[in-house]
Amino acid sequence: MIKAVIFDMDGVLIDSEHYWQQTERTLFRELGIELTDELLVQTRGLRTEEMVEHWGNRFDLGSVNPEELKQQYDRRMVETMQTEVQLMDGAREAIRFFVDREIPIALATCSSQAHIEATMEKHNLKEYFHLAVSADQMPGKPHPEVFLKTAALLKIDPTYCLVIEDSFVGLIAAKAARMKVVVMPDKTEYDQVRFGAADLKIKSLSELNEEAFEMLRKI
């Protein structure tokens, strides 16, 4: 049984991953640090402070204040979300699919409240979501707290929740919360065996149709 659906935001509802990486690359290039595509894989799915800490441990940031760096990064991404980031293919249809079936939907993301609000306002999504929860002040994924908190606010048992994620750490977090998981990995990671831990793997939200939903309900 599925009584609620919880969407991740970046890489699931909005096509933002390359903007996060582009901003990360630009920010550190300004400090004289070149982050290659291979290096950027290391911080995929991390929160801003985790990303800054990761590179701070690897490179000499000099006199740069990590908190100031975090704030710069977040400010640039809020502006980008307000102006450039678009919905993922099939996102609006997937939202409508669950709304039409009167299944509550929520957002659970490691992005900040400012990023959530920028996304909701740009794409007029707020009316469809019962709530949006940021893990900004919680342990980051793969810790399950953000999903457990979302289920508690919805007043729905976690085992009756379905999570839609794109990252492996998000998948593990949802499984740790005892929730069903649909994973939609980036195309560069789609064939990785580890994503087999999900209940369903898809390439696009357009695959969330009646047949897929019925299969998930029976698991």
Side-chain angles (χ1 to χ4, degrees):
M1 186 179 296
I2 297 173
K3 294 185 178 180
V5 176
I6 303 172
F7 285 88
D8 181 33
M9 188 171 76
D10 297 286
V12 174
L13 280 182
I14 56 174
D15 190 9
S16 57
E17 287 298 335
H18 61 288
Y19 289 105
W20 285 104
Q21 293 194 335
Q22 183 182 67
T23 302
E24 184 177 347
R25 192 196 302 269
T26 300
L27 195 62
F28 281 88
R29 182 177 289 153
E30 292 169 1
L31 300 176
I33 297 169
E34 189 65 36
L35 298 178
T36 64
D37 290 342
E38 290 75 20
L39 286 174
L40 286 169
V41 171
Q42 298 176 19
T43 53
R44 182 179 176 86
L46 296 185
R47 295 184 301 180
T48 303
E49 64 268 25
E50 293 170 336
M51 177 273 290
V52 171
E53 181 181 7
H54 178 85
W55 297 128
N57 290 333
R58 176 156 182 169
F59 300 106
D60 180 10
L61 301 182
S63 61
V64 176
N65 185 314
E67 181 59 29
E68 183 179 328
L69 198 61
K70 173 185 178 299
Q71 291 176 7
Q72 277 191 55
Y73 183 65
D74 284 343
R75 276 197 302 270
R76 294 185 190 190
M77 277 307 301
V78 167
E79 293 173 1
T80 299
M81 287 179 170
Q82 289 171 333
T83 58
E84 298 184 53
V85 178
Q86 300 301 314
L87 289 176
M88 294 291 281
D89 290 341
R92 204 172 291 280
E93 291 78 9
I95 291 169
R96 175 56 62 186
F97 179 87
F98 296 115
V99 169
D100 287 347
R101 286 156 182 77
E102 299 183 345
I103 298 172
I105 60 174
L107 191 69
T109 174
C110 288
S111 292
S112 70
Q113 197 62 41
H115 295 133
I116 292 172
E117 290 172 5
T119 296
M120 291 291 186
E121 289 176 10
K122 176 176 174 57
H123 301 290
N124 299 311
L125 297 178
K126 195 169 184 178
E127 64 180 294
Y128 301 111
F129 284 80
H130 282 60
L131 54 94
V133 180
S134 169
D136 195 34
Q137 301 301 317
M138 303 179 196
K141 301 169 186 175
H143 196 287
E145 184 172 341
V146 66
F147 291 128
L148 294 172
K149 176 70 171 178
T150 303
L153 291 171
L154 288 169
K155 298 181 179 179
I156 295 176
D157 188 292
T159 59
Y160 294 147
C161 294
L162 171 67
V163 171
I164 305 175
E165 264 284 354
D166 69 312
S167 69
F168 184 67
V169 292
L171 162 59
I172 296 303
K175 280 296 183 181
R178 299 176 297 126
M179 297 178 177
K180 297 177 182 179
V181 187
V182 172
V183 68
M184 188 175 70
D186 184 82
K187 61 183 179 181
T188 61
E189 300 180 343
Y190 185 83
D191 292 326
Q192 293 182 5
V193 175
R194 60 182 180 165
F195 289 109
D199 297 288
L200 176 65
K201 184 171 71 168
I202 60 176
K203 292 183 177 179
S204 166
L205 290 174
S206 61
E207 295 178 46
L208 289 176
N209 52 29
E210 192 66 47
E211 181 181 355
F213 186 58
E214 282 303 310
M215 183 274 289
L216 290 164
R217 288 179 62 185
K218 293 175 182 177
I219 294 174

